[in-house]
Amino acid sequence: MSHIQVRDDQGVRIISFNRPEKRNAFNLEMYQQLTEYLIQGEADNDIRAFMFHGTDDCFTSGNDIVDFLQSGALDDNHPTVKFLFCLLDLKKPVVAAVTGAAVGIGTTLLLHCDLVYADNKAKFQMPFVNLALVPEAASSILLPSIVGQHKAAELILLGDAFDAETAAQLNLINRVVAPDELISFSLAQAKKLAAQPPLSMQASKQLLRHNQAQVKAQMKLELVQFTKRLQSDEAKQRFRAFLNK
Ligand code: COA
């Protein structure tokens, strides 16, 4: 079974991460599929919104650490890079429903979503420095703009995990929802977005995200640093330590 599943429901393209044995860690094939489903959805006039969710107890544990260990340069053709720029450029709105772990890109991709809901089992973390890496997905510019410089430093430089209540207080998510209502509520919100006039929706999203050129430039800068850090001995030691427990 594919690790990325997709279904369309009343104008919403629902994309789910489904690799539970690895806590939905994103491998290269998953990034490729995610990008394809998003590009198809952008081109399809019947699709008017996207929704992301994980499995019953996990959003995603982030990038596959095995791939980090084997990674070459993060150039424009790399599946992760293609996914990040595709997400950044999406014209249609995106909703995310988060339960369980949302680690690394599991948290930073939420900065590109328009509405984010989580239940009280959600746990967010950006352990980039802990893994001897640097922040990605433009989180180094988006996060300070949402939570302030000092809080962003705490979340990135210390990389501590935080719960949904904290995420809501920091304005990183819209609302904490009861676990048994997370998917239905998030989907209902996505359907509301899908029912809005589509051109107005897209123009409004663009206006709200008016600094995309700056965000894109920062994402590129991050990728240069990220590639360097990925090759470093200190990072490789951290990856091996995780994989060897
Ligand atoms: N990449 C590759 N494999 C991963 C992974 C990842 N990001 N996250 C989890 N896995 C694998 C584990 O190696 C383990 O594999 P195994 O059963 O073959 O040993 C399996 O998924 C289960 O993970 P485990 O850590 O035992 O589950 P848990 O429920 O105790 O903890 C997490 C879940 C998400 C908190 C924990 O797995 C974790 O911290 N993952 C790493 C997250 C990370 O650093 N991501 C990169 C951020 S930049």
Side-chain angles (χ1 to χ4, degrees), residues 18 22 90 93 131 137 141 144 163 165 179 193 207 235:
N18 185 39
K22 296 289 176 191
L90 284 183
L131 287 170
I141 187 169
D163 61 16
E165 209 55 64
L193 293 176
L207 287 166

Side-chain angles (χ1 to χ4, degrees), residues 21-23 25 58 61-66 68 101 103-105 125 127-128 131 133 242-243 245:
E21 68 283 5
K22 296 289 176 191
R23 302 297 182 266
C58 185
S61 61
N63 202 99
D64 191 310
I65 305 264
V66 176
F68 270 164
V103 188
I105 197 165
Q125 191 181 12
F128 300 111
L131 287 170
L133 297 170
F242 172 76
L243 294 171
K245 298 271 184 311

